[in-house]
Amino acid sequence: MTTPHIDPEYLASAIEPNVQKDWDDRKVFKVADTVEGPHRYILSMFPYPSGRLHMGHVRNYTIGDVISRFHRLKGETVLQPMGWDAFGLPAENAAIAHKVAPAKWTFENIAYMRDQLKRLGLSVDWDREFATCTPEYYHWEQWLFVQLYKKGLIYRKLSTVNWDPVDQTVLANEQVENGRGWRSGALVEKRDIPMYYFRITDYAQELLDDLDQLKAGWPQQVLTMQRNWIGRSQGMDISFPSAQTEIYPDALTVFTTRGDTLMGATYVAVAAEHPMALKAAETNPALKAFIEECRMGSVAEADLATTEKKGMATGLFVKHPITGAELPVWIANYVLLSYGSGAVMAVPAHDERDFEFANKYNLPIQQVIDAQGADDVAFSATEWQEWYGSKQGKLVNSAEFDGLDFEGAYAAILAKLENTESGNSKVQFRLRDWGVSRQRYWGCPIPMINCEKCGQVPVPEEQLPVILPTDVVPDGSGNPLNKMPEFYQTACPSCGGDARRETDTLDTFVESSWYYARFASPNFQGGLVQPEAAQSWLPVNQYIGGVEHAILHLLYARFFHKLMRDEGVVQGNEPFTNLLTQGMVLADTFYREEASGKKTWYNPADIELERDDKGRGISAIYKADGQPVVIGGQEKMSKSKNNGIDPQSIIEQYGADTARIFMMFAAPPDQSLEWSDAGVEGSNRFLKRVWRLVTSFLAKNATVPALDVANLSKDAQDLRRKTHETIHKVGDDIERRYAFNTAIAAQMELLNSINKFEANAEQHTPQDVAVADEAIRSLLIMLAPFAPHLCQTLLAEFDLDLTQVSFPTVDESALTRNTQTIVVQVNGKLRGKLEVAVDISKDELLALAKALPEVQQFLTGPSKKEIVVPNKLVNLVV
Ligand code: ANZ
Ligand code: ZN
């Protein structure tokens, strides 16, 4: 084997482009739509084409790639696809700022980022790439929309949006800043407009139940977040008849989880827009003004919990279903219109919010649960106590229900209400139906037609896809589709009359809810996914992405899988068998603060940092002006703190392999990763040492005989054991534990052992060379998932093709030790060491110990006691 062309110095920029070109030319990562034999689908969440890769992307895609490459080495066919989540608001904002069409901006970004991803060395089947903004993709999304609409799983209803009266446009929540439009600065109004909704609540119970199927493969924390979001509550609906049927004839229904406290209800509270409130406001201008004020407020549930309680009496009354007492009906800003029935029975003695409200407005507070188990047994009508809200005590002041515990009271009250038909058991979900209409241009057109005569009519299948015009530059003043008759003018599919095409587009979460399925057959023209391809590749075996998607994206994708299943498009109940949520990438922050408190943040790349001997930063200087800046600590890389490090610069300086090794070595994948220049340099040094070892081994041009394991020197046996121990550990760390960091650490140790062994290379026998050769090849294959360019280049020197080799197998016999080191003590003091066979007899061992020259000098007489700890030590007491 001659190696004239291999450079003794490791230079990533000299090898990485060649290796990448080789992968492209040979299409080594291409897989078929249908597959036989062991196979696996590994998917990292696809990126939004924002313009440039950030470190979060690099981490995400490196994790997926390491897993993919590992399983390929294990002999599996692996699908690892890549595509673009290409619709969305940033493209429209860029259009407004730079007067460029969103389509053009998006595709330019895609071209740039694709190149960046390729430079990372991902083992992706690029023939499967697609962008969700193309008609070939969204055609099938529209098709599914039409099917679901026909089935009643999509409906239309009025809903409230943020309206910018100057720009005449709907604003997303993130475009409202302090109540004003981000562009116009106008005070934002609320408007009710018709929107389409997916009936995800029909699947709430199944989405909850099926979380059990994911227990083995999903992080506990994500399962809990999903469970809480779905938010199942077991309770009852109770109806309170109107006391003024001449004004408001209907009974008021409330949802409660605490039916046991019914006898403590002293008023009822309704949401500002509840029909009963609106009715009362007809004759009460003050009430009307108050409702309007509530409407302008935030709609976020999280804000409701913390904002000050506010309310107003409606002047209407309802009757308590058991006592018949008249209770006042209040409007309260802490009651949500969209939860339960938008009304609560207020039990101020046992509900904290009701307590606060009742105290503020002087409403009666009636204790109905005693203080069992509480330290302070006196009920105070002014100060809230934790135990008021508990279910621990027994009922008091509750007439026939007195003395019952929670279960007993709940059951007895429910039975009584059922008897009088004024209550029933009810399961309530926190999950709301999913509103998908967006009054935006850059999204998938909603395939509906509005006809004055026929109402909403779905676009007939043969007219799909409804194509979004791409030569459009939005200017921020409303959806440009509304100004394009060539888009919206159409004929009603039902009556043939003039009709108007829907100009709203779909929430971009819709595209990302089924892309994983499309990847199985991205070019299929007959539906969402070709049935055999779905059968072959779905579900995704391993999904990888940021924990910020733990709730909505994953819930929507799970929902879509069930929708597609019920359409007969896919099998199984869940899309992602295993989920890995990667941690954040952190970096140092640096800033200067002006007297006004305004902070200016400096990028770590522009800072000269001085460290103490533990590597902690002690002082920092802004390179441009040589003046000090404040060290702000490690934070998530972000634009706002200007602490992002451009992956491109790392790849250019050190190569993709170094970036990959650093990312995987610096922390376990689910934990935060602290960016450190020293860490990157360390990773690069490790690869240089691998390179140097292998090139100097190759340079000797030694003949490598077949291994003869029965005839190995002790050193050779030790190295061989180390090699096989490492193979075992690396395989286990990657496959079972996702512990990529310790897998790399083990390989660093193996490298050290090989280097030590090679230090004696001049004295090596041919069998020693064979053992070194085995160790080096094994190392290069194990390291290949992490540093594929380097490994492929070096393996080629052994006439091995990385794309053809297998992960090394553990030779169990190499793991057993033939000899062991025994410590020899005299009177408990270490005097010598012995290297003996593992199966040596006790007598033989004692004889050898006594014969050691360095021991003999301390043996002043016959030993009084001889202690042998097997495999460890001999202690001679004299
Ligand atoms: C009486 C009561 C007494 C309540 C008590 C609680 C404690 P979860 O568990 O979240 O389902 N509620 C019902 N509808 C509401 C709405 N639209 N907006 C705000 N609050 C609403 O909570 C159910 C409880 O939240 C219900 O039980 C109701 O208050 C309140 F000692 O009814 B409870
Ligand atoms: Zn019509």
Side-chain angles (χ1 to χ4, degrees), residues 451 453-454 492 494-495:
C451 169
K453 264 199 261 154
C454 316
C492 170
S494 175
C495 71

Side-chain angles (χ1 to χ4, degrees), residues 589-710:
T589 55
F590 303 96
Y591 66 91
R592 283 181 192 154
E593 196 168 357
E594 289 166 26
S596 66
K598 182 179 177 287
K599 282 180 177 166
T600 309
W601 299 90
Y602 296 88
N603 191 274
D606 303 327
I607 297 293
E608 192 92 43
L609 186 64
E610 198 186 320
R611 298 174 183 276
D612 66 9
D613 49 10
K614 291 208 175 68
R616 285 177 301 222
I618 43 177
S619 72
I621 288 191
Y622 181 43
K623 286 181 199 162
D625 61 15
Q627 297 301 308
V629 292
V630 183
I631 302 177
Q634 294 255 350
E635 299 214 36
K636 181 182 176 173
M637 282 189 185
S638 72
K639 282 207 182 85
S640 64
K641 298 277 160 69
N642 189 17
N643 66 337
I645 294 179
D646 187 3
Q648 195 70 31
S649 68
I650 302 301
I651 293 173
E652 270 156 26
Q653 193 176 350
Y654 298 101
D657 282 345
T658 293
R660 295 168 59 115
I661 291 273
F662 169 72
M663 283 279 163
M664 303 304 276
F665 180 57
D670 56 343
Q671 275 160 44
S672 326
L673 181 155
E674 297 187 1
W675 183 266
S676 114
D677 294 337
V680 177
E681 280 155 25
S683 301
N684 187 244
R685 264 197 311 278
F686 166 58
L687 292 182
K688 280 184 175 158
R689 292 175 63 214
V690 173
W691 186 272
R692 213 173 305 128
L693 164 76
V694 178
T695 48
S696 63
F697 180 80
L698 290 167
K700 286 183 299 201
N701 230 340
T703 324
V704 183
L707 249 176
D708 176 8
V709 292

Side-chain angles (χ1 to χ4, degrees), residues 233 255-258 261 334-337 339-340 342-345 347 350-351 353-354 430:
S233 287
F255 172 73
T256 178
T257 48
R258 295 297 303 274
T261 64
Y334 67 92
V335 181
L336 294 163
L337 184 67
Y339 188 65
V344 305
M345 66 174 203
V347 186
H350 303 287
D351 180 277
R353 296 169 302 177
D354 299 344
R430 190 150 292 280

Side-chain angles (χ1 to χ4, degrees), residues 192-241:
D192 287 331
I193 59 170
M195 302 231 261
Y196 286 96
Y197 283 80
F198 278 76
R199 230 180 262 284
I200 189 173
T201 50
D202 274 15
Y203 285 77
Q205 190 65 52
E206 198 194 339
L207 285 165
L208 184 68
D209 292 341
D210 286 356
L211 290 173
D212 286 345
Q213 298 177 19
L214 303 172
K215 272 189 186 143
W218 281 37
Q220 184 57 47
Q221 169 211 9
V222 176
L223 295 174
T224 305
M225 288 159 89
Q226 294 260 315
R227 210 168 274 128
N228 292 343
W229 189 262
I230 297 166
R232 184 183 195 276
S233 287
Q234 176 72 57
M236 47 180 105
D237 270 347
I238 303 180
S239 68
F240 289 67

